[in-house]
Amino acid sequence: MIEVAVYDSKPYDRDYLCRAASSHDITWRFHEFRLSSETALAAKGAQAVCVFVNDQVDRACLDALAAIEVKLITLRCAGHNNVDLLAARENGITVVRVPAYSPHAVAEHAVGLLLTLNRKIHRAYSRVRELNFSLNGLVGFDIHGKTIGIIGTGKIGRIATQIFRGFGANVMAHDPFPALDWAAEHGIYYTDFDTLLAASDILSLHLPLMPDTLHLLNSKTLAQTKPGVFIVNTSRGKLIDTTALIAALKSGHIGGVALDVYEEEEGIFFQDLSGQVLLDDELSHLLVFPNVLITAHQAFLTHEALSEIARVTTMNILAQATNQPFLKGTEL
Ligand code: NAI
């Protein structure tokens, strides 16, 4: 029997992992708390640990996991900015991820956020339920004909682009590794970052968080954007400097911000804090802007994505246990 300690697990993780492993010899040990150097010991006796975006898999944590002979870390996500890969390698721990579970889920959520924010559907929904059928304050704009700047044209950015093209929007993109054939096929053109910032009515972020993309949108780059710009971030919170974002919202420079991720989401997102006082002042501030829409890192949350995450995780755990190769492209 293979034992796996699953950290930061929610009811939907349990459902899908149990279903995926129903005919295999895997015992899941589900923990609601996150993995860190302090909680690593809870994995004692497990061959693998399974983690998500906000587990802190730093060097201290990896040293602790190695000491209890954990050999494998499976990420239930694509991004791996929370894992010290060098420390993992030095500790003889293999790290695998799910590189693409449903890029459609995330791209569709990004578009959904933009439509909701622009057409104020969230406000209209509450208003109509109060029998307030007034349209005052609900004016939006057509996406058709607008210029959308896509930052990062990997799996998710490309699908988002294609959806936006369906609206009749012009799409320009920036990526250090441009996909030129795809761009030609879909009528997209690549440009440098500064040009994209200055020309876009809507910016959508689809790039990973890395040391050189931390605070990609900051006071300097936000000042380069078009007045009234809408910004959609479904990638990672730390791509945007929240303090600078709030300043640009207060000055009226930014037209709207839709976030599925937040710089300091760790310890807040994925929890029900409805009975508590929110201690994060910047998040509190963001939540009161009428032109800010926030979802709590749910872009991935579709049946298709959860099924694929559970399938890839299960297959890789079995592969490790039987000395078989990991699924293609999953090993970091
Ligand atoms: P991907 O690896 O397929 O594509 C990322 C693209 O970003 C690549 O083409 C890369 O060249 C480009 N890139 C790297 N540095 C850049 C820079 N400085 N400027 C512009 N482009 C740059 O990744 P994928 O699957 O498209 O995912 C994108 C991001 O979405 C992930 O890194 C992850 O952070 C986020 N994500 C969020 C989810 C959510 O639930 N909110 C779920 C899944 C992913």
Side-chain angles (χ1 to χ4, degrees), residues 240-283:
I240 303 182
D241 176 346
T242 310
T243 310
L245 185 74
I246 290 172
L249 278 160
K250 283 173 79 175
S251 74
H253 178 78
I254 293 180
V257 178
L259 305 175
D260 185 52
V261 286
Y262 167 62
E263 188 165 9
E264 302 300 336
E265 68 180 54
E266 198 189 318
I268 300 176
F269 282 14
F270 309 115
Q271 326 279 333
D272 178 359
L273 303 182
S274 54
Q276 300 183 30
V277 171
L278 182 59
L279 298 177
D280 184 313
D281 290 347
E282 292 204 313
L283 181 57

Side-chain angles (χ1 to χ4, degrees), residues 44-298:
K44 199 166 172 33
Q47 288 85 25
V49 301
C50 179
V51 300
F52 196 47
V53 293
N54 288 323
D55 292 284
Q56 278 174 28
V57 198
D58 54 17
R59 183 173 284 278
C61 174
L62 286 155
D63 291 346
L65 290 175
I68 54 170
E69 296 184 13
V70 167
K71 297 280 180 240
L72 178 68
I73 294 174
T74 62
L75 291 160
R76 305 193 296 282
C77 53
H80 51 85
N81 51 280
N82 54 332
V83 183
D84 184 336
L85 291 178
L86 179 65
R89 214 162 294 137
E90 287 172 4
N91 272 302
I93 297 177
T94 307
V95 183
V96 291
R97 63 172 177 155
V98 188
Y101 30 92
S102 173
H104 295 277
V106 184
E108 289 172 14
H109 192 74
V111 177
L113 282 175
L114 175 66
L115 287 176
T116 305
L117 179 65
N118 167 32
R119 302 303 301 272
K120 301 167 177 65
I121 294 168
H122 54 313
R123 300 179 68 192
Y125 171 80
S126 315
R127 219 184 250 198
V128 167
R129 285 173 66 94
E130 296 284 318
L131 306 187
N132 176 355
F133 301 105
S134 154
L135 300 183
N136 294 340
L138 298 184
V139 179
F141 58 80
D142 289 7
I143 293 174
H144 175 91
K146 294 293 178 299
T147 297
I148 304 194
I150 299 284
I151 308 178
T153 53
K155 292 174 286 295
I156 297 169
R158 287 192 220 179
I159 292 168
T161 298
Q162 288 164 218
I163 299 173
F164 285 129
R165 288 293 286 153
F167 284 100
N170 307 310
V171 180
M172 54 166 61
H174 173 69
D175 194 307
F177 301 98
L180 296 173
D181 291 345
W182 165 82
E185 186 187 336
H186 293 281
I188 316 302
Y189 58 99
Y190 280 98
T191 184
D192 59 273
F193 186 51
D194 291 350
T195 307
L196 180 125
L197 288 180
S200 299
D201 300 298
I202 297 154
L203 285 171
S204 196
L205 273 53
H206 300 289
L207 72 162
L209 176 67
M210 298 179 294
D212 65 326
T213 61
L214 175 77
H215 289 178
L216 181 84
L217 294 185
N218 52 45
S219 54
K220 181 172 165 279
T221 51
L222 285 170
Q224 290 173 257
T225 59
K226 227 174 171 176
V229 66
F230 270 53
I231 298 171
V232 182
N233 185 9
T234 54
S235 281
R236 283 292 178 268
K238 288 184 196 300
L239 293 169
I240 303 182
D241 176 346
T242 310
T243 310
L245 185 74
I246 290 172
L249 278 160
K250 283 173 79 175
S251 74
H253 178 78
I254 293 180
V257 178
L259 305 175
D260 185 52
V261 286
Y262 167 62
E263 188 165 9
E264 302 300 336
E265 68 180 54
E266 198 189 318
I268 300 176
F269 282 14
F270 309 115
Q271 326 279 333
D272 178 359
L273 303 182
S274 54
Q276 300 183 30
V277 171
L278 182 59
L279 298 177
D280 184 313
D281 290 347
E282 292 204 313
L283 181 57
S284 303
H285 203 154
L286 283 173
L287 286 169
V288 297
F289 286 104
N291 53 347
V292 173
L293 178 65
I294 299 179
T295 52
H297 209 136
Q298 74 173 75

